[in-house]
Every structure is written in structure tokens, then in C-alpha cells.
Amino acid sequence: RRALQGAVDVAAGTGGAVQLEWTGGQFASAETDAQHPWAKLVGAAAAAELGAPPRVAGATWGADMRLFCAKQIPCVMLGTNGLQLAHGVDERVRLSEVEQLARVMIRTLIAFGGRAEG
């Protein structure tokens, strides 16, 4: 934001007289290293359920993950296909994918519990 404000100031030659306003949804970034034990645990559970390791990538949307990461709680996001249908009039998701995610969560929690006992 500072860099953009500085560029506007230079381009406008105003020395700061033009002030940008930031409106709408604004979210902090968040990241859990893909090699973190929690990320690996979720990844293994997803691979076992889905038949292949999940794709590891960043996302450009805001999410509550930032709240967990801000408190040093490792967090990953794993969801259904069809993000282009999210948060719209015709929003929908396949029930079979929701069931798969539920099984991934169960596998993850069982594995996590086993690690805590061992």
C-alpha cells in the first residue's frame, strides 16, 4: 500500500495530497509450511482418501486461516472442486465431495490422535 501511495504521489506530483482509500474485503495473508507436520498429516490423509496427493498451492482469496496462523496454529485449506461456483446465486457443491472431505477429516483426526498417544 505504501509503495502504491508513493507511486501515486510521484505521478501526480502532489507530495501526498492525493490519498488512496482501501475499501471492501481486506484480509491478512497466512501460510503454513508444506513440510510442517500438520500439513503433512492432512496431505497424507487426503492422499489416502483421494488416491493422490492434494495439490499444494497458494490462494488469492481471504479466509479464516489467517486467524489461526496469527495465533501460531498451523492450518491448511482443503476443499471441494468448483470454486468458481462459490458465494453466488447458483452456489453448489457435490455431496460426494463433501463426504470425501469428511472422510479426510476423520482420517486426519485418527492419525493425529495416534501421534499424540505414541
Side-chain angles (χ1 to χ4, degrees), residues 8-113:
V8 168
D9 293 344
V10 169
T14 63
V18 174
Q19 292 297 311
L20 298 176
E21 289 187 26
W22 301 89
T23 62
Q26 298 176 48
F27 299 97
S29 61
E31 180 180 14
T32 297
D33 188 303
Q35 296 307 308
H36 187 282
W38 178 251
K40 291 173 83 172
L41 195 68
V42 174
E49 180 61 38
L50 305 175
R55 184 174 61 94
V56 176
T60 58
W61 55 82
D64 290 342
M65 179 176 171
R66 72 192 190 283
L67 303 173
F68 291 96
C69 290
K71 298 290 185 183
Q72 310 307 308
I73 300 169
C75 185
V76 297
M77 291 191 289
L78 181 68
T80 60
N81 293 307
L83 185 63
Q84 66 277 10
L85 298 174
H87 310 301
V89 173
D90 198 22
E91 181 175 23
R92 62 188 178 276
V93 64
R94 293 185 191 285
L95 185 54
S96 61
E97 292 184 21
V98 174
E99 291 168 344
Q100 276 185 319
L101 285 173
R103 289 191 299 268
V104 169
M105 291 173 62
I106 291 166
R107 286 176 185 268
T108 302
L109 293 173
I110 290 171
F112 183 75

